[in-house]
Amino acid sequence: MKKIYGNEYLLSTLASMIKNGHTVQSVMFCGEKGSGRKLFADYYTQSLLCENPIDGRPCGVCNSCQNVSKKFHPDVTYVEKSGKLGGISVETARNIISDAFIKPNNHIGRKVYIFADCKNIDTRTQNMLLKLIEEPPDYAYFIFTCNSRNDFLPTIISRCVNFTVSECNEKETDAALHENGFGDDEIKEAISCFHGNIGMCTDYIVNEELRKQVDLTKSLADSIIRKDEYSLNAQLFSLGSGRNDAKSVLSMLDMLIRDAAVIGKDSNAAAIGCSREYAVRLSECITSGQALRIHSHIEQANRAVDSNVTIPLAMAALSAEIITVCS
């Protein structure tokens, strides 16, 4: 299993739970995309199923740990998602409920269900799973990963222990990327865009599409700075109908707007977006009030994308609203 950087308190907490026999049957690992929330889901799964734990931490070498790492442990289920929005169907929920009452086939006596990247699980599915989470078989464990626990119903949240997975510092990120064999220049560029988010930095280095999205985000910022509605509209239109691409670019643009508002008040403030240079330039031409209004319009566009509105129409509306705010 990959080495986990940072989050030592969370690692210690999980180890203490395992060592003292205080395992939790329903947990959520919340954090930004790339922060390592799925890595922690696998880590906790290894901890639960490890044949030779060391001070509550998985040994990483037993058959069980190796099988979890390779994602073919017979008593670990990665719950399938379906539909345009990547939700979990009612039928899938029914199958999980049925399967959960079949005893595991290992001497540890546990089985694990991992619900990864939960964002669009509809209310019916959550309510079906609620009864299972409320009164699970002694041997069944349920792990959810998500951006925010608010993606779930309050009833689900209240039955889970919630853990926040934090980004690393840039020094830890640099060490992790060097360990993965990347070069100095590409690491420096990746960290300048995604800072302590090891997953996103890695993706930036290996994924040309993400690099294009970063470049597009910077171009959008430049169009806002120049108050060029035609350019802004054309660039947003270039996203086409790709839902994931649109949400990724909107998220990065929103971070730049956030950075602009913060830097406008404190020039030494840390940036979280993909370009401090463009954040500084934005801070020189929009006020914090304008930044807040643009943020509100980006959130509205995100909701439109989630609700199956035609993406080019949503982007055209966003372009007009941003230029109106800046005028």
Side-chain angles (χ1 to χ4, degrees), residues 53-73:
I54 302 170
D55 289 329
R57 303 196 181 208
C59 69
V61 296
C62 69
N63 286 335
S64 182
C65 283
Q66 288 294 308
N67 287 340
V68 172
S69 181
K70 295 173 184 176
K71 298 191 184 300
F72 60 65
H73 194 291

Side-chain angles (χ1 to χ4, degrees), residues 139-163:
Y139 49 77
Y141 290 75
F142 307 94
I143 302 174
F144 300 88
T145 73
C146 56
N147 277 20
S148 167
R149 67 178 193 167
N150 294 325
D151 292 328
F152 294 90
L153 295 173
T155 47
I156 294 283
I157 297 170
S158 66
R159 273 117 182 127
C160 296
V161 173
N162 301 282
F163 297 111

Side-chain angles (χ1 to χ4, degrees), residues 237-257:
F237 186 81
S238 71
L239 288 167
S241 57
R243 189 174 309 281
N244 291 335
D245 288 348
K247 290 188 68 63
S248 178
V249 169
L250 288 177
S251 175
M252 287 190 284
L253 180 60
D254 201 26
M255 288 184 185
L256 279 184
I257 297 298

